[in-house]
């Protein structure tokens, strides 16, 4: 499987987290579409099928992530 560059993953995560913090899923259709696009891109970039799994996988692929750290799974 191809792996996305960590800088790309970091950027995607930052954009998705920012929109989620701003409750973009309740925003305009354009903002909702951007959030959907980011979710899709994160899924494709991590080889996953849902956004929650994609977020965990992307964070574990970033430099400094500890493979034994499962704190994201219990949150």
């Amino acid at each position: 499987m191809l792996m996305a560059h960590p800088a790309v993953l970091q950027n995607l995560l930052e954009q998705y987290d920012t929109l989620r913090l701003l409750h973009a899923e309740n925003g305009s259709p354009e903002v909702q579409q951007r959030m959907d696009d980011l979710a899709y891109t994160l899924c494709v970039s991590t080889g996953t099928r849902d956004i929650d799994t994609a977020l965990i996988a992307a964070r574990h692929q970033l430099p400094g992530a500890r493979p034994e750290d499962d704190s994201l799974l219990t949150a």
Side-chain angles (χ1 to χ4, degrees):
M1 175 176 91
L2 294 176
M3 301 272 292
H5 191 279
V8 171
L9 286 177
Q10 182 66 39
N11 182 275
L12 291 169
L13 285 169
E14 287 173 4
Q15 288 183 57
Y16 188 84
D17 287 340
T18 299
L19 289 175
R20 190 169 55 179
L21 286 172
L22 296 172
H23 302 285
E25 65 274 7
N26 300 323
S28 69
E30 293 83 10
V31 174
Q32 291 176 12
Q33 183 61 52
R34 179 64 183 146
M35 196 164 188
D36 290 343
D37 291 345
L38 286 165
Y40 174 80
T41 304
L42 279 163
C43 287
V44 170
S45 298
T46 57
T48 59
R49 292 181 183 251
D50 67 84
I51 187 59
D52 294 325
T53 306
L55 293 170
I56 292 168
R59 288 185 178 113
H60 279 282
Q61 291 178 27
L62 294 178
R66 297 183 340 216
E68 67 276 0
D69 181 9
D70 65 351
S71 61
L72 293 174
L73 297 174
T74 60

